[in-house]
Amino acid sequence: MTAPSTFGLSSEARNLHWLLTNLVEEVPGIESVAVVSSDGLLLLSSDPGRNEAARESRGVKPTGPRGSAADLATIVSGIGSLTVGAARLMEFGGVKHTMVAMDEGGLFVMSISDGSLLGVHGSADCDMSVVAYHMALFVGRAGHVLTPELRSELRQSLETTTAGGAR
């Protein structure tokens, strides 16, 4: 994974970047990860193309959201919104996590705090229980520090990175 620059970020933001990098690098089968705010904005993401060369070398066709981390964030936000609406209609309380199993992979969405979501796109051979376990660890570690101030800092960091890459 290409580590995003954390220069100038608060220790909390650097810690979240480290947690996300660790999640992607330590859990087999994770293709890409996105942390999304309650209003659907991407806060933090892995590089969705990080495994592209490895997949191509094995003769495996590209999988997952085409394009950018923003695509995964959009999907995660939409699934999160849909499941929250369903839970309200059924009066079953809050949504803890959602798993979508597909022929060529899986999508996992887990609530972090105050509506923020962690979304993981996994390969077809990933162990869903291992992915869910490590996502829960991430949520447990990230949830208490994901304050409005930190969310704002992460958004600004992504906007700066995106603007710098567009030049």
Side-chain angles (χ1 to χ4, degrees):
M1 178 171 141
T2 304
S5 173
T6 57
F7 180 76
L9 295 180
S10 67
S11 62
E12 292 86 3
R14 287 192 310 273
N15 187 38
L16 279 180
H17 276 277
W18 180 84
L19 286 171
L20 184 103
T21 300
N22 192 50
L23 175 67
V24 173
E25 291 179 351
E26 298 297 320
V27 181
I30 289 183
E31 300 289 332
S32 57
V33 179
V35 175
V36 182
S37 67
S38 60
D39 53 358
L41 296 176
L42 180 64
L43 297 177
L44 194 62
S45 73
S46 66
D47 176 11
R50 76 180 179 80
N51 286 332
E52 201 67 36
R55 283 193 301 269
E56 288 177 6
S57 71
R58 295 189 318 255
V60 178
K61 66 180 180 176
T63 61
R66 310 289 186 243
S68 68
D71 295 334
L72 179 59
T74 301
I75 294 165
V76 167
S77 180
I79 287 176
S81 179
L82 181 64
T83 56
V84 165
R88 283 187 188 137
L89 284 173
M90 292 182 214
E91 298 179 353
F92 283 159
V95 176
K96 295 181 181 179
H97 63 268
T98 304
M99 288 191 265
V100 179
M102 297 170 266
D103 290 339
E104 301 294 326
L107 178 65
F108 310 87
V109 180
M110 192 172 285
S111 299
I112 299 177
S113 64
D114 70 346
S116 296
L117 301 166
L118 171 64
V120 172
H121 163 238
S123 64
D125 61 349
C126 74
D127 185 330
M128 294 187 347
S129 62
V130 171
V131 172
Y133 172 76
H134 284 279
M135 287 177 70
L137 289 177
F138 179 96
V139 166
R141 294 172 180 151
H144 68 282
V145 298
L146 202 52
T147 62
E149 294 80 16
L150 184 56
R151 287 192 301 273
S152 177
E153 179 182 0
L154 291 169
R155 280 188 205 139
Q156 290 174 354
S157 171
L158 273 178
E159 289 171 4
T160 301
T161 302
T162 305
R167 291 180 187 161

